[in-house]
């Protein structure tokens, strides 16, 4: 039952289940609509409550939320091999609980998808170093179909998540989450529309190139505190200018790469045996441009 506390509906199922129930209020009841979520939210009680409301569900579930549902042990399923499973039916809500063993056991609960029809899926075998066919139940297939992309996105976000430790500015966590999500989605689109035969960048390289492209358009100079240095102090300090290598997306875009003459010689970016007074105004890279060598063209085309 729900009890109104302010503007938030609260049930006896816990905060996590309340999130699902609140978001599911707009779903038409008894119209065979299906709702999918992961094991952070799911439980037998939540599946029964949604079933009473006429909403079909399929979700992974943690083993400690199955209220003593006796399923085969991990060791027995492992001995039977990948693709083995065990199942039970909860009679009150007519929900099925399936324990499917792949690289590790996975528990699923559903009020509409059961075991049949079974099929096979391609999974990576770490010992044999190849893909193998693994038997799976219908509920596993349905979950992968509708939740596989979400689980993959969560995994990719965790690989190179922006580390943000501030506790006061909670809205910054939302900003950095959306930024990470945008980069991951951009990388997936980049892989989808990559030219045939071209080797794709991994996610770390892609994220690094995005950071370099953003930094290349911003001024990193910041005013220094304290007393300004005199001319003598300034001349006594030896400074060396460093230029960050532009991302390949900028270097090879074929736009705005013009040579410019500089006063002091700098080491070549391509052939580092000599120095040059010619640089690219966009990449800020020193490149030779002579009758014998044209590293300027090589750098922007290869």
């Amino acid at each position: 039952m729900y009890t109104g506390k302010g503007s938030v509906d609260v049930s006896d199922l816990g905060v996590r289940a309340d999130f699902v129930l609140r978001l599911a209020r707009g779903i038409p009841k008894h119209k065979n609509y299906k709702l999918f979520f992961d094991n952070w939210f799911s439980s037998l009680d939540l599946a029964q409550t949604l079933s009473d409301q006429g909403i079909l569900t399929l979700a992974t579930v943690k083993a400690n939320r199955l209220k003593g549902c006796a399923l085969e042990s991990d060791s027995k399923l492992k001995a039977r091999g990948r693709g083995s499973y065990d199942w039970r039916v909860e009679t009150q809500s007519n929900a099925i609980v399936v324990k499917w063993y792949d690289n590790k056991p996975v528990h699923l609960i559903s009020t509409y998808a059961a075991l049949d029809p079974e099929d096979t899926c391609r999974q990576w075998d770490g010992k044999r170093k190849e893909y193998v066919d693994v038997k799976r139940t219908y509920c596993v297939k349905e979950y992968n179909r509708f939740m596989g992309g979400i689980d993959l996105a969560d995994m990719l976000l965790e690989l190179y998540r922006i580390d943000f430790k501030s506790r006061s500015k909670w809205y910054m966590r939302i900003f950095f989450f959306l930024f990470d999500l945008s980069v991951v989605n951009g990388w997936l689109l980049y892989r989808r529309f990559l030219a045939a035969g071209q080797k794709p960048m991994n996610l770390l390289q892609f994220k690094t190139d995005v950071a370099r492209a953003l930094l290349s358009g911003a001024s990193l100079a910041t005013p220094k505190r304290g007393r300004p240095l005199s001319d003598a102090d300034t001349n006594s300090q030896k400074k060396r200018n460093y230029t960050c290598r532009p991302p390949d997306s900028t270097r090879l875009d074929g736009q705005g790469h013009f040579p410019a003459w500089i006063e002091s010689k700098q080491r070549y970016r391509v052939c580092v045996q000599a120095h040059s007074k010619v640089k690219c105004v966009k990449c800020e890279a020193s490149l030779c441009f002579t009758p014998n060598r044209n590293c300027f063209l090589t750098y922007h085309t290869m």
Side-chain angles (χ1 to χ4, degrees):
M1 297 295 293
Y2 282 99
T3 58
K5 294 184 179 180
S7 59
V8 180
D9 293 334
V10 179
S11 71
D12 298 331
L13 304 180
V15 177
R16 300 176 182 183
D18 290 342
F19 281 123
V20 178
L21 294 173
R22 183 175 180 82
L23 293 173
R25 289 190 303 183
I27 300 177
K29 307 301 187 290
H30 303 285
K31 299 293 183 179
N32 289 330
Y33 278 86
K34 302 175 179 66
L35 186 61
F36 302 85
F37 43 92
D38 60 24
N39 59 12
W40 197 86
F41 303 96
S42 61
S43 65
L44 276 172
D45 293 333
L46 177 59
Q48 180 177 350
T49 301
L50 291 171
S51 178
D52 295 339
Q53 296 179 4
I55 299 176
L56 305 176
T57 59
L58 173 57
T60 53
V61 61
K62 296 182 179 180
N64 58 4
R65 298 183 188 172
L66 294 178
K67 293 185 176 181
C69 179
L71 295 166
E72 284 192 18
S73 64
D74 297 351
S75 59
K76 290 184 178 180
L77 291 177
K78 184 177 181 180
R80 289 165 52 189
R82 295 179 64 176
S84 59
Y85 61 88
D86 190 22
W87 58 278
R88 298 290 186 275
V89 174
E90 204 281 322
T91 56
Q92 186 174 358
S93 60
N94 199 29
I96 185 171
V97 177
V98 178
K99 183 178 181 179
W100 180 67
Y101 192 88
D102 187 17
N103 288 318
K104 60 181 181 180
V106 179
H107 296 80
L108 299 101
I109 182 171
S110 176
T111 55
Y112 84 93
L115 307 177
D116 296 324
E118 296 180 1
D119 69 343
T120 58
C121 60
R122 300 281 289 174
Q123 300 286 81
W124 177 256
D125 191 321
K127 294 182 179 180
R128 298 165 58 180
K129 304 299 182 182
E130 62 180 1
Y131 284 96
V132 297
D133 292 331
V134 177
K135 183 175 65 174
R136 65 178 176 180
T137 61
Y138 178 66
C139 59
V140 175
K141 177 183 177 181
E142 282 285 279
Y143 183 84
N144 290 337
R145 177 185 175 190
F146 293 101
M147 288 289 291
I150 297 175
D151 291 341
L152 176 61
D154 291 340
M155 183 272 291
L156 294 174
L157 285 173
E158 289 297 330
L159 289 178
Y160 310 109
R161 183 183 293 274
I162 296 176
D163 189 13
F164 185 75
K165 298 181 180 180
S166 176
R167 298 181 180 179
S168 58
K169 298 180 180 179
W170 56 267
Y171 51 86
M172 295 300 295
R173 293 184 178 274
I174 300 177
F175 170 78
F176 284 123
F177 169 78
L178 294 176
F179 183 84
D180 282 331
L181 186 63
S182 300
V183 173
V184 169
N185 289 339
W187 179 68
L188 293 174
L189 289 174
Y190 153 77
R191 288 171 57 91
R192 179 181 298 178
F193 297 105
L194 195 66
Q198 186 177 355
K199 183 179 179 181
M201 291 185 291
N202 59 38
L203 179 58
L204 180 58
Q205 292 173 329
F206 183 84
K207 198 166 188 177
T208 302
D209 279 3
V210 171
R212 286 174 176 170
L214 292 176
L215 290 174
S216 64
S219 175
L220 300 180
T222 55
K224 296 183 178 180
R225 298 180 180 179
R227 179 178 61 85
L229 296 174
S230 63
D231 294 338
D233 295 335
T234 304
N235 295 331
S236 63
Q237 293 182 354
K238 295 182 179 180
K239 295 183 179 180
R240 184 176 178 181
N241 295 325
Y242 293 91
T243 57
C244 181
R245 179 184 175 90
D248 291 341
S249 58
T250 300
R251 180 172 63 89
L252 302 174
D253 62 4
Q255 299 179 1
H257 299 282
F258 300 107
W261 188 260
I262 55 179
E263 294 297 331
S264 59
K265 291 184 178 181
Q266 295 182 4
R267 190 175 296 277
Y268 292 168
R269 181 57 62 90
V270 178
C271 49
V272 296
Q273 292 82 7
H275 295 74
S276 173
K277 284 192 173 184
V278 178
K279 76 169 186 178
C280 174
V281 296
K282 185 174 183 179
C283 301
E284 296 187 355
S286 234
L287 301 161
C288 61
F289 185 62
T290 67
N292 298 325
R293 293 191 305 271
N294 190 353
C295 291
F296 195 94
L297 177 64
T298 303
Y299 183 75
H300 293 106
T301 54
M302 297 180 63

